[in-house]
Amino acid sequence: MVRIRLRRMGLRNRPTYRVVAIDSRRARDSRYIELLGHYDPRRRTLELRIERVRYWLSSGAQPSSTVSTLIQIFDRQTKAAAEPGTALEQQTASDLATTTTEGVQP
């Protein structure tokens, strides 16, 4: 069975992780089938190739509990960034409106 789980990388006391598709019988840091993304818990950065993650999930791969949480977080972040009418977008639009109308003489 294929699992989607984290593979530990980095230095001692400075871990970073790769999100990988791997055979469930293999060790944590052994050879993997496909690299699906990166996660750095210290910087709190998460990069996922979500289309490939969805492919593996549809093929029957089981995510670990941590990876399933990371996928949910990634989905929320991308949904919030793509959602029109967010507070940041409204603020940027109002800033543009004020800057463009300030330079115009009536």
Side-chain angles (χ1 to χ4, degrees), residues 8-9 19 31 41 47 49 58 71 78 91-92 94-95:
R8 191 178 197 277
M9 305 293 290
V19 180
R31 198 174 84 213
E47 298 174 22
R49 296 181 4 197
S58 68
I71 291 170
T78 55
Q91 180 182 4
T92 306
S94 66
D95 290 345

Side-chain angles (χ1 to χ4, degrees), residues 65-101:
S65 60
T66 305
V67 171
S68 63
T69 303
L70 290 176
I71 291 170
Q72 291 173 0
I73 291 170
F74 187 81
D75 284 341
R76 273 188 267 148
Q77 288 176 350
T78 55
K79 183 186 283 187
E83 195 172 278
T86 59
L88 179 63
E89 230 175 72
Q90 290 173 353
Q91 180 182 4
T92 306
S94 66
D95 290 345
L96 287 174
T98 57
T99 56
T100 56
T101 57

Side-chain angles (χ1 to χ4, degrees), residues 18-48:
R18 289 183 177 174
V19 180
V20 296
I22 191 169
D23 186 7
S24 63
R25 295 170 290 189
R26 288 198 173 264
R28 178 190 68 184
D29 295 335
S30 64
R31 198 174 84 213
Y32 53 86
I33 300 170
E34 185 177 1
L35 175 66
L36 302 174
H38 301 277
Y39 173 59
D40 186 353
R42 297 182 64 156
R43 294 184 187 164
R44 301 205 188 272
T45 59
L46 174 62
E47 298 174 22
L48 282 178

